[in-house]
Amino acid sequence: MSTVFRKWWVILLQGILLIIISFIFFNNPVEVLTVISFWVGLLILTAGALGLIGYLLLGKEERENSVLWWSLATLVFGILSVSKLGLTMKVITVLFGIWILIVGFWLFTAGWEHRKSGGSGWLMLLAGIFSIASGIAVIFDLATGAVWISTLLGIQALLAGLGLIILALIKRKLVKKIKADTAFTMH
C-alpha cells in the first residue's frame, strides 16, 4: 500500500504540466485545431489502411467486397483529410457548430416551456439563445470555431491539472501521516 502513496510528486508534476498545456491551448486556437485536424485525418487514413491490409490478408473465400470498398473510401477520405487540413478544420468546426446549435435549440425550447416556473427557465432560455448564436458563429467562421474548441480543451486541461495537484497534495499528506503512524508504532 505504501507504494501507492510514494510518488505523489509525479502526480503534482503531471498537474503542473496539464496547466501549462491549458495555457498553450488558450493562446493557440488555430494551431490546436490544426493539430486536431491532422490527427483526425491520420486516424481515418490509418483505419482505411488497416482495413485494406486486413482485407488483403483474408483468404479469397473470406473476402467481402463491402469491406474492400469501405476501406478504400476510408483510406481516400483519410488522405484527403491529411492533405487538405484547411478543409478538415472547416468540417470539424461545422460539425462542432451544429452540435452547439442543436444544444442551443434544445435549451431554448426547454427554457421557453419552463419560463413561467422562475429563474431557471429564463436561464435556460438565455443559454439557448447564446448557444444558437455561438453555433452559427462557429459554423460560419473558422477562427471562432478554433477558439471555441481550443478553449473547451484548455478548460478541460486546466481543471484536470488542478485536480491532479489537489490529489498530489492529499497523497503527500497521507504519506506523511502513514510515516508518522509507522514511526509512532515502532517506538
Side-chain angles (χ1 to χ4, degrees):
M1 176 151 155
S2 64
T3 58
V4 173
F5 299 111
R6 204 176 301 159
K7 304 293 184 208
W8 63 268
W9 57 270
V10 173
I11 297 170
L12 179 68
L13 289 176
Q14 289 172 332
I16 292 168
L17 288 175
L18 275 173
I19 290 172
I20 292 169
I21 288 170
S22 75
F23 287 106
I24 293 170
F25 286 171
F26 292 140
N27 292 313
N28 301 291
V30 174
E31 291 81 1
V32 169
L33 182 57
T34 303
V35 170
I36 290 170
S37 300
F38 175 77
W39 280 103
V40 166
L42 191 62
L43 289 171
I44 293 169
L45 187 143
T46 302
L50 290 175
L52 187 59
I53 290 168
Y55 174 84
L56 294 172
L57 290 176
L58 290 173
K60 288 191 184 226
E61 63 282 345
E62 296 175 305
R63 293 180 180 171
E64 295 179 24
N65 285 338
S66 61
V67 172
L68 173 63
W69 291 114
W70 179 257
S71 298
L72 286 172
T74 304
L75 182 65
V76 168
F77 185 60
I79 291 169
L80 287 173
S81 297
V82 170
S83 64
K84 305 288 185 190
L85 278 180
L87 180 61
T88 306
M89 291 167 65
K90 186 61 184 169
V91 168
I92 289 172
T93 56
V94 166
L95 291 174
F96 187 68
I98 290 170
W99 174 65
I100 293 171
L101 197 61
I102 291 169
V103 170
F105 281 121
W106 176 73
L107 285 170
F108 180 84
T109 304
W112 187 260
E113 291 174 10
H114 298 292
R115 71 186 185 284
K116 293 180 182 172
S117 65
S120 62
W122 285 102
L123 187 60
M124 279 192 293
L125 187 71
L126 290 173
I129 292 169
F130 175 74
S131 291
I132 290 169
S134 299
I136 291 169
V138 167
I139 289 170
F140 291 106
D141 184 29
L142 183 67
T144 302
V147 168
W148 268 79
I149 291 169
S150 65
T151 299
L152 288 175
L153 289 172
I155 290 170
Q156 175 59 37
L158 180 64
L159 293 175
L162 291 172
L164 286 174
I165 289 171
I166 291 168
L167 177 62
L169 296 175
I170 290 170
K171 283 190 163 204
R172 180 176 173 235
K173 187 176 180 179
L174 285 172
V175 167
K176 285 183 176 183
K177 183 172 176 10
I178 290 171
K179 285 181 180 178
D181 289 349
T182 306
F184 180 72
T185 56
M186 292 183 140
H187 290 0

